Amino acid sequence: MDKQPRIFVAGHQGMAGSAIVRTLLQNGRNNLITRSRADLNLTDQAAVRAFFEAEKPDQIYLAAARVGGIHANNTYPAEFIYTNLMIETNIIHEAWKAGVKKLLFLGSSCIYPKHAPQPMNESSLLTGTLEPTNEPYAIAKIAGIKLCESYNRQYRQSHGTDYRSVMPTNLYGPGDNYHPENSHVIPALIRRIHESKINDSPTVIVWGSGNPRREFLYVDDMAAACVHVMNLEYATFAAHTHPMQSHINVGYGADITIRELAETIADTVGFQGKITFDPSKPDGAPRKLMDSTCLNTLGWKTKVTLEKGLSLAYNDFLTHTHYDEKT
């Protein structure tokens, strides 16, 4: 029996990282390495170097990141670009120094230009201006892709370096952040609509016009895609990518308007009131749909429908958030 690789999941307590841990365990991968933020500061290069020297992982899933919605990105742009650049730079460089040959970096669909042709193909990267509200975060994620590609280009032949990148669309599901201001759209709407329901509020106000279209992927589907891409034979991966365009989109395959999303969440929660929109608030990009043809060609398909995923996400919210239901 082959010895199991030692796998470090960076960011295992976050939504994406915890889903990757669940998926790896379900696949029989038990030799996992994790560290909490309190135990390992990923922005500290010396600490990351010492960690790799001590633990000697064989594979790394780089899911650690500073993340948030429009409000958080607008409020903390310096923190978003600095923290994410430091995390990915430290992990990728120190992984290479420690002899780690396999690494998977998780990016984001916000790397693409604001007005990229829809659906967004991998070739759209760096072809136009980014969405201003999350430009610092997007720049950091683009840098992560280019770090992986640059180390591959320089060290693939000499060191066997094989660092890959996936770009998930908007994620939701267990472990999401339901902060009233700093969360993404689905957890924010779940919380707001649930609170309106238990408080018997007649209306829920949603930011923006409700017209932008977004794509949403259940986080465990994303994790399955990450493990799938990590485990592809190098020749197969290389045949479907290019040295300077090696990232792979991970999408659901269909999008929905924010208005339709809010109505679907209201149905899931059981809210009977009215949903109104505040067009004075920013909409962000008009549409963000990923072209996941490459990943589908490589043998991966999504399994969890949006309706099923929202139900699972709402149950997770109820399990981990304490509210007194009115009787």
Side-chain angles (χ1 to χ4, degrees), residues 163-213:
Y163 295 171
R164 306 177 184 184
S165 300
V166 293
M167 298 299 114
T169 189
N170 302 293
L171 302 174
Y172 69 99
D176 214 336
N177 170 23
Y178 296 96
H179 189 278
E181 292 181 342
N182 296 337
S183 57
H184 287 105
V185 60
I186 283 184
L189 287 175
I190 286 176
R191 178 177 182 136
R192 196 175 309 162
I193 292 172
H194 174 80
E195 290 177 345
S196 296
K197 171 191 169 185
I198 65 173
N199 292 324
D200 293 330
S201 300
T203 62
V204 170
I205 300 175
V206 178
W207 274 28
S209 67
N211 296 323
R213 302 186 67 88

Side-chain angles (χ1 to χ4, degrees), residues 81 85 88 130 134-144:
I81 193 166
L85 283 171
E88 63 203 28
L130 298 165
N134 60 13
E135 183 189 71
Y137 178 74
I139 291 289
K141 287 300 183 180
I142 293 170

